[in-house]
């Protein structure tokens, strides 16, 4: 993987595969239009730079000949006709005004394209992550080669960095390419001729710039290529550290009750130590690279002057050419050295660099492959057939991700209206059976015919979205799907009347409510949803026996037409008891 990651050719192909969907989507005309405008404005900046070099030539020639009138005209007049020049020169103020206007809108339109592109990518990545329950299947992967770290960071940060850095580097590359072709003719024309070992070389500074940049590019890649996997790891380790902090934020009560502050502190220190160690590795790898690139840049500043000064002292060129040649050489050499200049950005910054960009592309490409694999896996495992009058299992085998079997070749029919309880020792596969019935378990074989009508599954640990209490009650339906009166009635029926006044208040209800209150709020969700089938996975385990019995009675009375199927470690009132043990179903 490291060899693939350090290959920039592979990186370009992967980046294009990530970018192509947007530029061929329903937004393609807008995308290409903005991109074309940004490129056009950046090319105008290149043209302005060419004009400025000729302005410099005329200005410094006027200084050399003590021509005050020409200097004043170049500085303050809008259009100047230079003696001996067939083309008029634009004045300094007009040049700067046009340059600032073009450069400002080039940045503005680039930012507009960036946010539109990021919005489109974010929408589609979130959609692909949630569709076919890819997010769930990815979370089940246990093989180190299949584990995907921090998908939230890849959507929130990697997509931001990918769009920003791809635009910055891509437009900069095109600009440098045009700069090269624009200034190479200028440099060629002012370089003159040199005789070397019997050969006559025209425009020799062009060839010097080419050779200088080629050698620099090769050395830069040899020194810096190991920074790419380090940059990849830095992004991963930073996200891991942030995730540990979030876990402390989301589980304060459990940590406080366990007096787990010292353990959490130690774990956070270890996690940050990983961040620090990898950062130090990046710094150490960056030292020789910076030694080379800084030396390369500084030598390039003085090198053309050293080469052309003999011609100046021999009076073969004027002071204007002496000022113009280093600028032209710098533009050509800088364009040829684009890879060197952009290889890395300052460590710890969000500025564009090829190393960071390559790592980001690799993370997003891997994320997309993981989502595609997860969506493919969603079609495997136990197959759900068309719904029927009863819940039917036919030759059902359920396995864990590592291949261990929980249930083998089980068959069962549960008609509607019958109250059923599944029991069995921990780890026997009761919850996994419910996941298979819900159609989300991708490991196993056989077929399941779900019952017709609406189904609601309530796990042992309920989930509450961020928002109001009413939203938690109606999830995943909209808040306005029921009236406030119906919501308060459901809460009161499950002894939650004390929180009913907070119906429209927004809190983190998973932290605000106790475990028992959370489970009763989830059961209240069943009262307002009124499903045809209700599946309870230890949904009253946090309640005391009296409260659990009262909750079950409330469900039975309030939902007379609902078939309730429950998982329990204890005996509960039910018309039918089924037991999972030794890979089979007893009581069928």
């Amino acid at each position: 993987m490291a060899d693939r990651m350090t290959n920039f050719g592979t990186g370009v192909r992967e980046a294009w595969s990530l970018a192509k969907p947007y530029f061929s989507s329903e937004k393609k005309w807008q995308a290409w239009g903005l991109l074309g405008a940004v490129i056009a404005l950046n090319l105008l900046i290149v043209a302005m730079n060419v004009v400025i070099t000729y302005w410099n030539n005329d200005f410094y020639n006027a200084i050399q000949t003590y021509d005050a009138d020409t200097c004043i005209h170049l500085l303050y007049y809008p259009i100047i006709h230079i003696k001996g020049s067939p083309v008029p020169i634009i004045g300094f103020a007009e040049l700067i005004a046009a340059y600032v206007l073009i450069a400002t809108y080039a940045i503005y339109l680039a930012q507009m394209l960036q946010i539109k592109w990021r919005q489109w990518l974010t929408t589609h990545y979130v959609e692909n992550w949630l569709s076919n329950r890819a997010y769930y299947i990815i979370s089940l992967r246990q093989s180190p080669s299949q584990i995907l770290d921090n998908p939230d960071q890849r959507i929130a940060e990697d997509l931001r960095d990918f769009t920003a850095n791809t635009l910055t580097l891509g437009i900069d590359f095109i600009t440098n390419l045009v700069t090269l072709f624009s200034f190479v003719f200028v440099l060629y024309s002012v370089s003159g001729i040199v005789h070397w070992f019997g050969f006559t070389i025209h425009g020799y500074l062009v060839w010097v710039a080419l050779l200088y940049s080629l050698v620099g590019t090769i050395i830069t890649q040899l020194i810096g290529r190991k920074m790419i996997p380090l940059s990849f790891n830095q992004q991963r380790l930073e996200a891991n550290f942030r995730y540990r902090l979030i876990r402390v934020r989301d589980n304060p009560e459990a940590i406080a009750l366990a007096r787990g502050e010292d353990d959490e502190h130690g774990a956070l220190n270890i996690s940050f130590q990983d961040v620090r160690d990898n950062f130090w590795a990046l710094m150490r790898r960056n030292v020789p690279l910076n030694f080379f690139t800084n030396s390369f840049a500084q030598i390039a500043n003085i090198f053309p002057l050293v080469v052309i000064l003999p011609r100046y002292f021999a009076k073969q060129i004027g002071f204007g050419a002496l000022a113009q040649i280093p600028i032209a050489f710098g533009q050509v050499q800088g364009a040829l050295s684009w890879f060197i200049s952009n290889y890395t950005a300052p460590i710890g910054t969000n500025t564009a660099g090829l190393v960071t960009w390559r790592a980001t592309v690799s993370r997003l490409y891997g994320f997309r492959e993981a989502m595609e694999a997860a969506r493919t896996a969603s079609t495997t495992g136990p197959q759900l057939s068309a719904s029927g009058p009863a819940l039917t299992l036919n030759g059902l085998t359920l396995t864990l991700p590592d291949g261990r079997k929980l249930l083998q070749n089980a068959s069962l029919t549960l008609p509607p209206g019958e109250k059923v309880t599944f029991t069995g020792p921990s780890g026997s596969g009761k919850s996994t059976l419910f996941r298979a019935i819900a159609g989300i378990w991708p490991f196993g074989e056989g077929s399941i015919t779900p019952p017709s009508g609406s189904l609601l599954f309530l796990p042992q640990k309920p989930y509450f979205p961020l928002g109001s209490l009413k939203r938690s009650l109606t999830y995943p339906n909209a808040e306005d799907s029921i009236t406030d009166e119906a919501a308060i009635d459901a809460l009161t029926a499950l002894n939650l009347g004390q929180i009913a006044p907070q119906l429209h208040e927004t809190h983190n209800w998973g932290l605000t409510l106790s475990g028992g209150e959370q489970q009763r709020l989830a059961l209240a969700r069943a009262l307002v949803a009124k499903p045809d089938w209700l599946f309870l996975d230890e949904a009253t385990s946090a309640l005391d026996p009296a409260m659990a019995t009262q909750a079950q009675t409330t469900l039975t009375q309030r939902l007379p037409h609902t078939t309730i199927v429950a998982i329990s470690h204890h005996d509960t009132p039910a018309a039918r008891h089924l037991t999972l043990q030794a890979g089979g179903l007893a009581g069928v």
Side-chain angles (χ1 to χ4, degrees):
M1 180 179 176
D3 292 339
R4 173 185 173 184
M5 196 182 298
T6 56
N7 188 317
F8 278 98
T10 302
V12 171
R13 289 191 294 273
E14 290 178 356
W16 173 239
S17 73
L18 296 173
K20 183 180 178 181
Y22 174 63
F23 287 92
S24 58
S25 70
E26 71 283 356
K27 302 287 186 180
K28 61 183 177 182
W29 298 117
Q30 182 186 70
W32 284 108
L34 280 172
L35 181 61
V38 172
I39 292 173
L41 290 174
N42 278 273
L43 297 186
L44 280 175
I45 292 175
V46 174
M48 297 293 294
N49 286 331
V50 174
V51 173
I52 289 172
T53 64
Y54 283 104
W55 186 94
N56 281 336
N57 192 332
D58 293 329
F59 185 73
Y60 284 105
N61 277 334
I63 291 176
Q64 183 184 24
T65 59
Y66 302 99
D67 187 350
D69 289 339
T70 300
C71 285
I72 292 173
H73 288 177
L74 284 168
L75 285 172
Y76 301 112
Y77 283 37
I79 301 291
I80 305 97
H81 293 278
I82 303 296
K83 186 181 298 183
S85 175
V87 181
I89 296 296
I90 301 175
F92 179 76
E94 288 69 26
L95 275 175
I96 296 305
Y99 187 93
V100 170
L101 181 66
I102 294 170
T104 299
Y105 276 97
I107 294 173
Y108 178 78
L109 292 180
Q111 291 174 334
M112 182 186 297
L113 176 57
Q114 176 191 334
I115 192 61
K116 287 180 178 292
W117 187 8
R118 182 185 174 190
Q119 180 182 5
W120 190 91
L121 281 174
T122 300
T123 299
H124 284 75
Y125 266 72
V126 169
E127 179 181 336
N128 290 335
W129 186 45
L130 296 178
S131 66
N132 300 109
R133 298 182 178 86
Y135 66 95
Y136 176 71
I137 296 173
I138 288 173
S139 71
L140 298 174
R141 300 299 185 185
Q142 295 182 340
S143 169
S145 62
Q146 295 178 322
I147 292 176
L148 184 81
D149 64 276
N150 306 294
D152 54 308
Q153 187 248 5
R154 302 196 187 207
I155 293 174
E157 296 182 10
D158 287 349
L159 285 178
R160 177 199 64 199
D161 295 342
F162 171 70
T163 53
N165 292 348
T166 299
L167 281 175
T168 301
L169 291 170
I171 292 172
D172 191 53
F173 177 78
I174 294 172
T175 302
N176 274 270
L177 195 63
V178 175
T179 298
L180 173 63
F181 284 105
S182 299
F183 279 93
V184 74
F185 297 106
V186 177
L187 184 61
Y188 188 90
S189 64
V190 298
S191 292
I193 300 172
V194 68
H195 301 283
W196 189 62
F197 291 106
F199 293 96
T200 300
I201 303 175
H202 295 268
Y204 69 100
L205 285 177
V206 174
W207 304 109
V208 170
L210 177 61
L211 181 62
Y212 186 75
S213 301
L214 179 62
V215 172
T217 298
I218 293 172
I219 295 175
T220 298
Q221 171 65 354
L222 290 176
I223 296 174
R225 60 183 176 180
K226 291 185 179 180
M227 292 185 68
I228 298 174
L230 287 173
S231 182
F232 182 98
N233 285 334
Q234 190 68 27
Q235 295 178 29
R236 177 177 61 83
L237 294 171
E238 294 279 5
N240 288 345
F241 177 62
R242 184 176 62 251
Y243 177 67
R244 284 189 174 275
L245 292 170
I246 292 172
R247 282 180 57 81
V248 175
R249 183 196 69 188
D250 288 346
N251 298 278
E253 183 178 4
I255 294 171
L257 289 173
R259 302 291 194 270
E261 294 84 0
D262 290 341
D263 184 79
E264 294 298 327
H265 187 259
L268 287 170
N269 281 341
I270 292 173
S271 182
F272 186 76
Q273 183 176 338
D274 292 337
V275 173
R276 183 203 64 186
D277 291 345
N278 196 79
F279 192 84
W280 272 102
L282 272 170
M283 290 169 56
R284 287 191 293 269
R285 178 55 57 178
N286 214 32
V287 168
L289 184 63
N290 282 336
F291 266 121
F292 175 74
T293 55
N294 288 331
S295 301
F296 183 88
Q298 293 305 313
I299 293 173
N301 288 334
I302 196 68
F303 184 72
L305 281 175
V306 173
V307 174
I308 63 174
L309 275 175
R311 295 185 61 207
Y312 174 74
F313 290 128
K315 298 182 180 180
Q316 295 176 359
I317 59 174
F319 189 56
L322 182 67
Q324 184 183 22
I325 287 176
I327 296 175
F329 183 89
Q331 294 285 357
V332 172
Q333 179 269 327
L336 290 170
S337 304
W338 178 84
F339 186 82
I340 301 171
S341 303
N342 291 280
Y343 195 83
T344 185
I347 297 176
T349 68
N350 290 324
T351 54
L354 287 169
V355 168
T356 303
W357 174 82
R358 181 65 186 96
T360 300
V361 168
S362 183
R363 287 175 61 79
L364 283 177
Y365 190 81
F367 184 29
R368 191 182 68 177
E369 286 188 324
M371 289 191 294
E372 291 175 352
R375 287 198 299 275
T376 300
S378 68
T379 63
T380 63
Q383 300 298 304
L384 289 182
S385 58
S387 59
L391 171 61
T392 304
L393 314 180
N394 186 21
L396 182 64
T397 296
L398 298 178
T399 63
L400 294 173
D402 60 9
R404 286 183 294 143
K405 291 184 178 180
L406 295 174
L407 187 65
Q408 186 168 4
N409 198 30
S411 297
L412 172 68
T413 298
L414 294 181
E418 189 175 32
K419 190 171 184 180
V420 180
T421 299
F422 283 90
T423 59
S426 296
S428 60
K430 302 184 298 296
S431 296
T432 303
L433 175 59
F434 270 29
R435 296 179 189 124
I437 294 171
I440 67 173
W441 191 252
F443 306 107
E445 57 187 21
S447 65
I448 300 173
T449 301
S452 57
S454 57
L455 281 63
L456 179 62
F457 292 82
L458 296 181
Q460 182 177 7
K461 182 176 175 57
Y463 168 76
F464 303 110
L466 297 177
S468 68
L469 177 62
K470 188 177 180 183
R471 184 173 181 226
S472 293
L473 182 62
T474 60
Y475 180 83
N477 298 317
E479 287 187 47
D480 57 6
S481 60
I482 62 170
T483 63
D484 288 358
E485 291 74 17
I488 294 172
D489 178 62
L491 292 173
T492 304
L494 286 158
N495 296 312
L496 290 174
Q498 72 278 9
I499 64 172
Q502 305 176 61
L503 192 64
H504 294 288
E505 294 183 15
T506 297
H507 297 289
N508 187 340
W509 297 106
L511 295 179
T512 304
L513 301 178
S514 68
E517 288 174 327
Q518 290 182 45
Q519 287 194 337
R520 279 181 282 151
L521 179 57
L523 294 173
R525 187 183 293 167
L527 294 184
V528 299
K530 295 181 172 57
D532 295 304
W533 288 71
L534 177 61
F535 295 85
L536 306 176
D537 184 0
E538 292 286 347
T540 59
S541 59
L543 306 182
D544 61 78
M547 183 68 74
T549 301
Q550 182 181 349
Q552 292 163 2
T553 302
T554 299
L555 290 175
T556 301
Q557 293 176 346
R558 292 266 187 146
L559 302 173
H561 304 295
T562 297
T563 301
I564 300 176
V565 181
I567 287 176
S568 177
H569 286 292
H570 313 290
D571 289 335
T572 57
R576 190 173 181 183
H577 284 80
L578 299 171
T579 304
L580 274 78
Q581 57 184 8
L585 269 175
V588 176

